[in-house]
Amino acid sequence: MRHGVDQHAMQPGASSLTTLVRAWAPVLACLLLAVVLQMVVGPLLVSAGWDFAAKLLLDIGINVILAVSLTMVNGFTGQFSIGHAAFMAVGAYVAAGIVYYGSFRLFGSAEMAGGLLSSAPEGRQGAWLTRGDALFGLSILAGGVASAGCGYLVGLPSLRLRGDYLAIVTLGFGEIVRVLIQSQTTETLYDPEEIAKTPLWQLPKYLGGALGFSGLPFYTSLFWVWVFALLTVLVAYRIKSSTYGRAFLSIREDEIASEAMGVDTTRYKVRAFVISAFFAGCAGALFAHTVGVQLNAGELGFVKSFDIIIMVVLGGLGSISGAFLAAIILTILPELLRSVSEYRMVAYATALILMMLLRPQGLLGVREIWDKRTWRWLTGSRTRKRGGS
Amino acid sequence: MLEVRDLKVNYGAIKALHGISLRVNQGEIVTLIGSNGAGKSTTLRTISGLLRPASGDILFEGASIRATPPHEIVRLGLVQSPEGRGVFPNMTVDENLQLGAFVRPASERGAIAADRERALGLFPRLRERLKQSAGTLSGGEQQMLAMARALIAKPRLLLLDEPSLGLAPQIVQTIFKIIRDINASGTTILLVEQNANMALRVAHRAYVLEVGRITMEGAAAELAQSDEVRKAYLGHG
């Protein structure tokens, strides 16, 4: 990948070992952080009686994946996809099918068979990772890959066109996915013998259809969610700070000029779209196996897509840390507003309108929280002059 | 180096170019002058692949590029500095310049750095503003940035689309002086301009475009003397 290498990793004189360490250290850091969240923070929260906070951290993590991945399309390349929840649905159903029927075929039941890293903080014991975790981990990746494949199929024809057309196509894609899933049989198989008898290729029919897919084991834990959330942020950051990523940004800035610099804009838009769909699929897989969730395609329609778009816009189109912050705020806000129960959605909407009036460019605009410029800009000490001759 | 043969371009039902032919030789500055709507930018955008011709052909170094996508054309060494400056406003000057080297392989690191230095040498103002967002530059500085960025792409033929558009006369002088410098250091230039006066002063040869047709061509100095050109474009009665 000629343009893809991170700048820091390419400094002349850096040995291949340093390069390797620099490339993989952040990944290890993500893993470590997720383990700490799972093994230390989760139990602490629960022992303090803050179970809801542990649950909220799961939702936040999933929303972070969704918002940051959508930022790569809507923020980086400036396209407007409004079907992100559909990619989530694809990932969710692919992963759920694999985990549910895979568990029956391999372990004889759909009981959760995970180790410490995928257990709820209460009542934990045994090994850190088990066969069940392997199945779950692989199914997340499979969900992501299936979703990325859909992203490629949808993106290739529609990304040749400009903004609004993509919006319509993605909206249509979202509805197609939802209707296709809901129009399947409402049956879910739960008899191990019957499942063992049914040929493998027929199993994907029995995903619960319009009634929703129930009986899924709850593998999703702080560890799994935050491994993927942090990796999504890491990938987004690496892309944004590479030459490769500047090609994405240049499309948003000025598509003609971008072409004039030799960027194959269609190909780059498709790439961003595929990467984004991959992570949305992973988020869907994680969502499907969360405690208290009954997977139903009806909930992954365009309303969900808009929720994600709101996070991206609120955070500032193109800002990774902005999307991250907005995902946190917009996950917590509805919970805080529970006290005003019936006016909750009104208050939520009002809060959004106020945000957009006060900061139409989003929390951080296109900047990142770690940019020096952000602080100057947030504090309003703008000394440079604009315009001129 | 570049040869355009009987090029016809339509915007839907509207015919923008009715078959124009022109030629740019190695080492020249060739200018294409004409008034608003004559089809100058259309010609340039068709050459760089952003528009597709209805008929006719474009040869670059003898090979047809009429069906080559724009990003491939840049790789061939035919680089455009787009009209209206076309800088990336939310990126810093430095990041804009880095995108100039987008088509060049990472193995050319040293050469890219040298070309960057050379470009910054031509436009010293940019060096002072490397960390500034391109959108906060003045019009003239944005034009300089667009040209510097195109130079870092290492063009064999540089296409300049209205570099003087909307700039103060003094800045225009500077820009045209730099165009001459760029050419003197070996880059062939095709310059599209409304400012015929300045364009004819720096160019070797010129074409006059009127509503989609080439009406006159010849050495720039001769055209500058011709009555029609003086009347129509140079403001001499």
Side-chain angles (χ1 to χ4, degrees), chain A residues 82-86 170-172 174-175 178 297-309:
Chain A
I82 48 179
H84 211 49
T170 50
L171 184 67
E175 288 305 285
R178 185 179 64 78
E299 283 172 29
L300 301 178
F302 75 98
V303 175
K304 180 70 188 171
S305 294
F306 274 105
D307 283 346
I308 307 166
I309 289 175

Side-chain angles (χ1 to χ4, degrees), chain A residues 4 15 26 32 42 50 62 131 150 165 193 198 219 233 247 251 256 269 287 299 301 304 329 331 341 349 351 354 373:
Chain A
S15 75
L32 204 68
W50 290 9
I62 292 175
R131 290 190 307 167
C150 290
Y165 300 99
E193 278 179 31
T198 317
Y219 277 100
V233 172
I251 297 172
I256 304 266
K269 283 191 273 184
F287 170 78
E299 283 172 29
K304 180 70 188 171
I329 293 171
T331 316
S341 53
L354 280 177
R373 284 188 290 163

Side-chain angles (χ1 to χ4, degrees), chain A residues 69-70 73 79 81 83-91 94 142-160 166 169-170 173-174 177 266-282:
Chain A
S69 61
L70 188 63
V73 172
Q79 305 304 302
S81 164
H84 211 49
F87 293 112
M88 194 184 166
V90 170
V94 168
V145 169
S147 177
C150 290
Y152 186 74
L153 290 179
V154 174
L156 200 59
S158 53
L159 286 164
R160 295 182 180 283
L166 178 70
V169 172
T170 50
F173 169 70
V177 168
T266 302
R267 179 188 292 176
Y268 274 80
K269 283 191 273 184
V270 171
R271 280 184 190 169
F273 205 62
V274 168
I275 298 171
S276 161
F278 173 81
F279 285 111
C282 294

Side-chain angles (χ1 to χ4, degrees), chain B residues 12 17 31 59 64 66 94 105 185 202 233:
Chain B
L17 296 180
T31 184
L59 303 173
S64 171
R66 65 164 285 183
D94 204 13
S185 63
V202 299
Y233 301 106

Side-chain angles (χ1 to χ4, degrees), chain B residues 31 67 69 86 171 181 189 203 211 225 232:
Chain B
T31 184
I171 309 280
D181 291 347
I189 293 173
V211 280
Q225 296 305 317

Side-chain angles (χ1 to χ4, degrees), chain B:
Chain B
M1 185 172 218
L2 178 79
E3 195 178 345
V4 173
R5 285 184 189 155
D6 196 27
L7 194 68
K8 291 183 179 152
V9 179
N10 305 332
Y11 289 110
I14 301 156
K15 292 189 167 58
L17 296 180
H18 306 271
I20 67 159
S21 300
L22 58 87
R23 197 165 38 81
V24 181
N25 300 320
Q26 179 92 41
E28 279 186 317
I29 301 181
V30 173
T31 184
L32 190 61
I33 57 176
S35 55
N36 240 342
K40 304 185 302 292
S41 292
T42 305
T43 311
L44 216 52
R45 298 185 62 185
T46 313
I47 293 172
S48 56
L50 295 169
L51 291 173
R52 291 279 161 234
S55 69
D57 206 354
I58 304 161
L59 303 173
F60 184 59
E61 318 243 275
S64 171
I65 54 166
R66 65 164 285 183
T68 313
H71 55 95
E72 294 292 338
I73 291 179
V74 177
R75 277 164 214 271
L76 295 175
L78 213 165
V79 184
Q80 186 185 356
S81 165
E83 188 191 1
R85 295 145 207 163
V87 298
F88 305 118
N90 285 311
M91 294 188 191
T92 63
V93 169
D94 204 13
E95 287 168 338
N96 267 273
L97 293 177
Q98 284 172 27
L99 268 161
F102 183 77
V103 292
R104 302 178 65 178
S107 56
E108 283 184 26
R109 180 169 305 276
I112 293 171
D115 286 342
R116 180 173 177 276
E117 277 310 301
R118 200 165 65 94
L120 287 175
L122 285 170
F123 303 103
R125 281 222 219 167
L126 295 179
R127 197 191 295 275
E128 300 159 18
R129 305 201 184 318
L130 280 176
K131 294 289 162 219
Q132 197 170 324
S133 300
T136 63
L137 297 179
S138 74
E141 289 162 348
Q142 289 189 12
Q143 183 57 52
M144 292 175 184
L145 176 56
M147 286 170 62
R149 195 182 55 186
L151 281 178
I152 292 175
K154 206 179 174 188
R156 310 231 308 275
L157 172 57
L158 177 63
L159 306 176
L160 294 174
D161 198 351
E162 306 250 15
S164 76
L165 195 74
L167 300 184
Q170 209 183 346
I171 309 280
V172 174
Q173 296 279 356
T174 315
I175 297 267
F176 275 89
K177 188 190 162 296
I178 294 170
I179 292 176
R180 209 180 263 156
D181 291 347
I182 293 170
N183 178 250
S185 63
T187 308
T188 312
I189 293 173
L190 175 57
L191 167 70
V192 156
E193 256 303 336
Q194 253 188 82
N195 187 339
N197 192 13
M198 289 301 295
L200 290 176
R201 245 186 262 172
V202 299
H204 301 108
R205 290 192 304 112
Y207 293 85
V208 178
L209 196 60
E210 273 172 26
V211 280
R213 285 191 180 80
I214 301 239
T215 51
M216 267 182 283
E217 58 177 283
E222 281 170 29
L223 276 184
Q225 296 305 317
S226 92
D227 287 342
E228 286 120 289
V229 171
R230 286 167 64 95
K231 233 184 242 165
Y233 301 106
L234 301 180
H236 301 287

